[in-house]
RNA sequence: GGCGGCAUAGCCAAGUGGUAAGGCAGAGGCCUGCAAAGCCUUUAUUCCCCGGUUCGAAUCCGGGUGCCGCCUCCA
């Protein structure tokens, strides 16, 4: 079984062949830390988190690096506006980023380097590029000369001539070509600055990634990822400078995730429709956000709407509803499911994990994987129905299927809560949003129970309707009545 | 102007040559005092349009239409 990935470099699916068997080195462009993380960051970060988890689940030794860009124009501008130092601003948003990542169940990368921690490596690469004739200095700035690099444009599929024909191009007469980009920037007074052979300055945007990826993963590594928008110019420039400096291939596979729109509009400052991760997780379970993201293919555009999130949330309820039944059957969570180990087909034939791998091997097709997951949910619900409540065990096939489901959850970052905790959280959200005392609900349930006992169904139904209007749904179970969050329909 | 992508049921979304996954919503049924949850059945003779290739196309080719992204900071 081989994994196929869509490589932006070449624009086709290719077999994933690691540079060294069994080992994968991947680098993903992290955020520029000058503001809070929005849902677009969430998608990128979730997509690569799932890829990371999957490769590990498939037995690869993975080393995953995601950087922070902690020096650039936006940070400087913002810090000046706020009257604080760049370090303080960056530090604040790095901390916030970590809080957000934890909230959405991200596995931390193996390394999270800072651009400012790698100035000497950056200076070294810039020097190398000048030495080799790919870069030139002009009044303290150092530019990369795109005309000296014949392969410039190979990632984004652009040709210099085409771009020059139509693009709006800044006029900087020191540049040999309008598309030359800055490797090292002379600092203005008050800006962060480091000593360099070209005077006091700071790194350009792209060079940091060349320096950090080379340092932690080697000059050639396996996977380089990021958002689609980074293809040009960021990754195009990065690939040019890295390959020119080191004289070898940079990354084998370039993976780019698609964008998220909000109600079919691009997120933008002017529309004021930026959705921050910290706000989303206040309203929804973090796994609902993850499920929303993995429900479509990572390269497709994704439209965020309230309804789409509500559907993702309902889907998650369905999954946890099954887990709750499983917990009840086993009287235990997590259930004691003897892991089927090599996951060969058991008697009743669970090849769920294998089919999941088939989907994921095809360019990380998580949408197809979700279909499999829901089929498994249905089949397990059916099995539990057929056995009847109180039955203490599930067939070996059922147990293996549950084990597979949880294993899939480990990859997608779903089903990581216990069902009890999950529904408790959902209930708590109802209580908090309406300032309801749970004891009051219990009292209502007792009143309804008495009414039902007395066959006063009119009263019983009236109580239930009253609760339903408050988004509280009752379920009469053999062992008694429980309540769950509901949609408020009466 | 250049480069690239997308168009599948009411909505979301898989499916790259062999006869349309899955979720939500809807309808009917089982269960229930009635519900809820769960299960079962059902909902696209058809995949934007027009041609072509093929025994066979949502899938390949040509043309058209409509959306969208990038080319400037952006995940």
């Amino acid at each position: 079984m081989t994994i196929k990935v869509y490589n932006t470099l070449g624009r086709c699916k290719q077999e994933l062949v690691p540079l060294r068997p069994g080992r994968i080195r991947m680098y993903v462009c992290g955020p520029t830390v000058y503001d809070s993380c929005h849902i677009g960051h969430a998608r990128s970060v979730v997509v690569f988190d799932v890829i990371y988890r999957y490769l590990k689940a498939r037995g690869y030794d993975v080393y995953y690096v995601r950087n922070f860009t902690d020096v650039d124009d936006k940070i400087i501008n913002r810090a000046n506006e706020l009257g604080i130092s760049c370090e303080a601003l960056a530090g604040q948003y790095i901390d916030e980023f970590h809080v957000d990542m934890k909230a959405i169940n991200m596995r931390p990368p193996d390394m999270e380097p800072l651009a400012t921690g790698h100035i000497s490596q950056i200076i070294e690469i810039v020097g190398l590029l000048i030495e080799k004739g790919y870069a030139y200095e002009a009044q303290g700035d150092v530019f990369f000369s795109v005309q000296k690099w014949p392969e410039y444009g190979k990632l984004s599929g652009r040709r210099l001539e085409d771009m020059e024909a139509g693009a709006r191009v800044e006029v900087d007469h020191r540049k040999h070509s309008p598309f030359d980009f800055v490797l090292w920037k002379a600092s203005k007074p008050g800006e962060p600055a480091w000593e360099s052979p070209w005077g006091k300055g700071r790194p350009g945007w792209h060079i940091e990634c060349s320096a950090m990826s080379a340092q932690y993963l080697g000059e050639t590594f396996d996977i380089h990822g990021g958002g689609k928008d980074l293809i040009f110019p960021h990754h195009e420039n990065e690939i040019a400078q890295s390959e020119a400096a080191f004289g070898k291939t940079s990354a084998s596979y370039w993976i780019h995730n698609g964008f998220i729109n909000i109600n079919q509009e691009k997120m933008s400052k002017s529309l004021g429709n930026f959705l921050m991760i910290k706000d989303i997780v206040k309203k929804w379970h973090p796994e609902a956000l993850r499920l929303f993201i993995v429900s479509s293919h990572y390269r497709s555009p994704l439209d965020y709407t309230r309804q789409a999130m509500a559907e993702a949330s309902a889907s998650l309820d369905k999954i946890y509803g099954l887990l709750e039944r499983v917990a009840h059957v086993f009287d235990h969570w997590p259930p004691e499911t003897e892991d089927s180990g090599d996951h060969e087909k058991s008697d009743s034939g669970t090849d769920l994990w294998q089919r999941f791998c088939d989907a994921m091997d095809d360019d990380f097709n998580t949408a197809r994987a979700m279909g499999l997951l829901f089929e498994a949910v249905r089949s397990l619900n059916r099995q539990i129905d057929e056995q009847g409540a109180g039955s203490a065990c599930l067939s070996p096939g059922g147990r293996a299927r549950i084990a597979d489901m949880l294993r899939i959850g480990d990859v997608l970052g779903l089903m990581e809560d216990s069902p009890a905790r999950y529904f408790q959280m959902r209930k708590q959200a109802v209580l908090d949003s309406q300032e309801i005392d749970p004891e009051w609900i219990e009292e209502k349930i007792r009143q309804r129970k008495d009414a039902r006992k007395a066959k006063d169904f009119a009263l019983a139904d009236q109580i239930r309707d009253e609760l339903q209007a408050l988004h509280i749904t009752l379920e009469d179970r053999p062992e008694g009545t429980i309540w769950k969050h509901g949609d408020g329909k009466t």
Side-chain angles (χ1 to χ4, degrees), chain A residues 414-428:
Chain A
L414 302 173
M415 299 178 262
E416 293 190 334
D417 257 344
S418 73
R421 210 177 88 90
Y422 176 82
F423 286 110
Q424 187 51 46
M425 279 178 71
R426 299 281 280 144
K427 284 160 70 168
Q428 195 59 47

mmCIF file of all heavy atoms in Angstrom, chain A residues 414-428:
data_model
loop_
_atom_site.group_PDB
_atom_site.id
_atom_site.type_symbol
_atom_site.label_atom_id
_atom_site.label_comp_id
_atom_site.label_asym_id
_atom_site.label_seq_id
_atom_site.Cartn_x
_atom_site.Cartn_y
_atom_site.Cartn_z
ATOM 1 N N LEU A 414 -10.904 13.122 16.454
ATOM 2 C CA LEU A 414 -12.308 13.054 16.874
ATOM 3 C C LEU A 414 -12.449 11.942 17.908
ATOM 4 O O LEU A 414 -11.593 11.072 18.011
ATOM 5 C CB LEU A 414 -13.216 12.746 15.675
ATOM 6 C CG LEU A 414 -13.149 13.734 14.505
ATOM 7 C CD1 LEU A 414 -13.973 13.219 13.330
ATOM 8 C CD2 LEU A 414 -13.623 15.105 14.924
ATOM 9 N N MET A 415 -13.557 11.949 18.623
ATOM 10 C CA MET A 415 -13.851 10.913 19.625
ATOM 11 C C MET A 415 -12.782 10.856 20.705
ATOM 12 O O MET A 415 -12.491 9.794 21.243
ATOM 13 C CB MET A 415 -13.990 9.535 18.952
ATOM 14 C CG MET A 415 -15.110 9.468 17.934
ATOM 15 S SD MET A 415 -15.194 7.866 17.124
ATOM 16 C CE MET A 415 -14.316 8.230 15.608
ATOM 17 N N GLU A 416 -12.195 11.988 21.000
ATOM 18 C CA GLU A 416 -11.137 11.991 22.014
ATOM 19 C C GLU A 416 -11.682 12.279 23.400
ATOM 20 O O GLU A 416 -10.981 12.116 24.391
ATOM 21 C CB GLU A 416 -10.034 12.997 21.620
ATOM 22 C CG GLU A 416 -9.297 12.536 20.360
ATOM 23 C CD GLU A 416 -8.041 13.339 20.029
ATOM 24 O OE1 GLU A 416 -7.944 14.506 20.424
ATOM 25 O OE2 GLU A 416 -7.155 12.770 19.357
ATOM 26 N N ASP A 417 -12.948 12.699 23.466
ATOM 27 C CA ASP A 417 -13.614 12.857 24.757
ATOM 28 C C ASP A 417 -14.293 11.546 25.120
ATOM 29 O O ASP A 417 -14.550 10.725 24.251
ATOM 30 C CB ASP A 417 -14.718 13.929 24.637
ATOM 31 C CG ASP A 417 -14.293 15.257 25.239
ATOM 32 O OD1 ASP A 417 -13.307 15.282 26.002
ATOM 33 O OD2 ASP A 417 -14.944 16.267 24.932
ATOM 34 N N SER A 418 -14.614 11.388 26.409
ATOM 35 C CA SER A 418 -15.503 10.273 26.746
ATOM 36 C C SER A 418 -16.913 10.744 26.417
ATOM 37 O O SER A 418 -17.196 11.943 26.467
ATOM 38 C CB SER A 418 -15.400 9.948 28.231
ATOM 39 O OG SER A 418 -16.041 10.959 28.983
ATOM 40 N N PRO A 419 -17.812 9.815 26.047
ATOM 41 C CA PRO A 419 -19.178 10.250 25.726
ATOM 42 C C PRO A 419 -19.829 10.979 26.903
ATOM 43 O O PRO A 419 -20.567 11.946 26.699
ATOM 44 C CB PRO A 419 -19.907 8.952 25.382
ATOM 45 C CG PRO A 419 -18.965 7.837 25.659
ATOM 46 C CD PRO A 419 -17.592 8.392 25.798
ATOM 47 N N ALA A 420 -19.556 10.536 28.088
ATOM 48 C CA ALA A 420 -20.168 11.186 29.249
ATOM 49 C C ALA A 420 -19.740 12.642 29.325
ATOM 50 O O ALA A 420 -20.555 13.549 29.520
ATOM 51 C CB ALA A 420 -19.768 10.446 30.533
ATOM 52 N N ARG A 421 -18.461 12.869 29.144
ATOM 53 C CA ARG A 421 -17.949 14.231 29.212
ATOM 54 C C ARG A 421 -18.471 15.063 28.050
ATOM 55 O O ARG A 421 -18.804 16.235 28.203
ATOM 56 C CB ARG A 421 -16.413 14.213 29.186
ATOM 57 C CG ARG A 421 -15.788 15.376 29.942
ATOM 58 C CD ARG A 421 -14.271 15.258 29.928
ATOM 59 N NE ARG A 421 -13.684 15.885 28.752
ATOM 60 C CZ ARG A 421 -13.311 17.164 28.712
ATOM 61 N NH1 ARG A 421 -13.454 17.939 29.765
ATOM 62 N NH2 ARG A 421 -12.773 17.665 27.617
ATOM 63 N N TYR A 422 -18.550 14.428 26.889
ATOM 64 C CA TYR A 422 -19.039 15.143 25.717
ATOM 65 C C TYR A 422 -20.454 15.671 25.935
ATOM 66 O O TYR A 422 -20.729 16.849 25.738
ATOM 67 C CB TYR A 422 -19.019 14.221 24.484
ATOM 68 C CG TYR A 422 -19.612 14.872 23.251
ATOM 69 C CD1 TYR A 422 -18.853 15.727 22.472
ATOM 70 C CD2 TYR A 422 -20.936 14.635 22.883
ATOM 71 C CE1 TYR A 422 -19.395 16.341 21.346
ATOM 72 C CE2 TYR A 422 -21.489 15.246 21.755
ATOM 73 C CZ TYR A 422 -20.712 16.086 20.991
ATOM 74 O OH TYR A 422 -21.264 16.697 19.896
ATOM 75 N N PHE A 423 -21.347 14.784 26.363
ATOM 76 C CA PHE A 423 -22.737 15.230 26.530
ATOM 77 C C PHE A 423 -22.876 16.170 27.724
ATOM 78 O O PHE A 423 -23.734 17.047 27.729
ATOM 79 C CB PHE A 423 -23.680 14.027 26.628
ATOM 80 C CG PHE A 423 -23.883 13.368 25.289
ATOM 81 C CD1 PHE A 423 -23.346 12.116 25.020
ATOM 82 C CD2 PHE A 423 -24.573 14.027 24.277
ATOM 83 C CE1 PHE A 423 -23.511 11.532 23.767
ATOM 84 C CE2 PHE A 423 -24.741 13.448 23.025
ATOM 85 C CZ PHE A 423 -24.203 12.198 22.780
ATOM 86 N N GLN A 424 -22.011 15.995 28.701
ATOM 87 C CA GLN A 424 -22.028 16.929 29.828
ATOM 88 C C GLN A 424 -21.686 18.340 29.332
ATOM 89 O O GLN A 424 -22.315 19.320 29.712
ATOM 90 C CB GLN A 424 -21.022 16.480 30.909
ATOM 91 C CG GLN A 424 -21.099 17.301 32.184
ATOM 92 C CD GLN A 424 -22.532 17.413 32.714
ATOM 93 O OE1 GLN A 424 -23.274 16.425 32.793
ATOM 94 N NE2 GLN A 424 -22.959 18.639 33.039
ATOM 95 N N MET A 425 -20.698 18.408 28.438
ATOM 96 C CA MET A 425 -20.309 19.712 27.894
ATOM 97 C C MET A 425 -21.436 20.329 27.083
ATOM 98 O O MET A 425 -21.684 21.528 27.150
ATOM 99 C CB MET A 425 -19.072 19.576 26.995
ATOM 100 C CG MET A 425 -17.765 19.526 27.751
ATOM 101 S SD MET A 425 -16.360 19.297 26.625
ATOM 102 C CE MET A 425 -16.293 20.906 25.811
ATOM 103 N N ARG A 426 -22.100 19.490 26.307
ATOM 104 C CA ARG A 426 -23.200 19.985 25.483
ATOM 105 C C ARG A 426 -24.324 20.507 26.371
ATOM 106 O O ARG A 426 -24.942 21.532 26.084
ATOM 107 C CB ARG A 426 -23.724 18.870 24.570
ATOM 108 C CG ARG A 426 -22.683 18.324 23.601
ATOM 109 C CD ARG A 426 -22.486 19.235 22.413
ATOM 110 N NE ARG A 426 -23.533 19.062 21.428
ATOM 111 C CZ ARG A 426 -24.051 20.053 20.688
ATOM 112 N NH1 ARG A 426 -23.625 21.272 20.865
ATOM 113 N NH2 ARG A 426 -24.980 19.803 19.796
ATOM 114 N N LYS A 427 -24.576 19.783 27.464
ATOM 115 C CA LYS A 427 -25.618 20.216 28.382
ATOM 116 C C LYS A 427 -25.214 21.515 29.083
ATOM 117 O O LYS A 427 -26.027 22.420 29.261
ATOM 118 C CB LYS A 427 -25.877 19.126 29.425
ATOM 119 C CG LYS A 427 -26.683 17.960 28.880
ATOM 120 C CD LYS A 427 -26.552 16.708 29.707
ATOM 121 C CE LYS A 427 -27.228 16.817 31.043
ATOM 122 N NZ LYS A 427 -27.326 15.477 31.682
ATOM 123 N N GLN A 428 -23.963 21.568 29.453
ATOM 124 C CA GLN A 428 -23.477 22.746 30.160
ATOM 125 C C GLN A 428 -23.665 24.000 29.299
ATOM 126 O O GLN A 428 -24.002 25.067 29.810
ATOM 127 C CB GLN A 428 -21.992 22.563 30.522
ATOM 128 C CG GLN A 428 -21.501 23.567 31.558
ATOM 129 C CD GLN A 428 -22.307 23.472 32.855
ATOM 130 O OE1 GLN A 428 -22.542 22.385 33.385
ATOM 131 N NE2 GLN A 428 -22.760 24.617 33.364
#
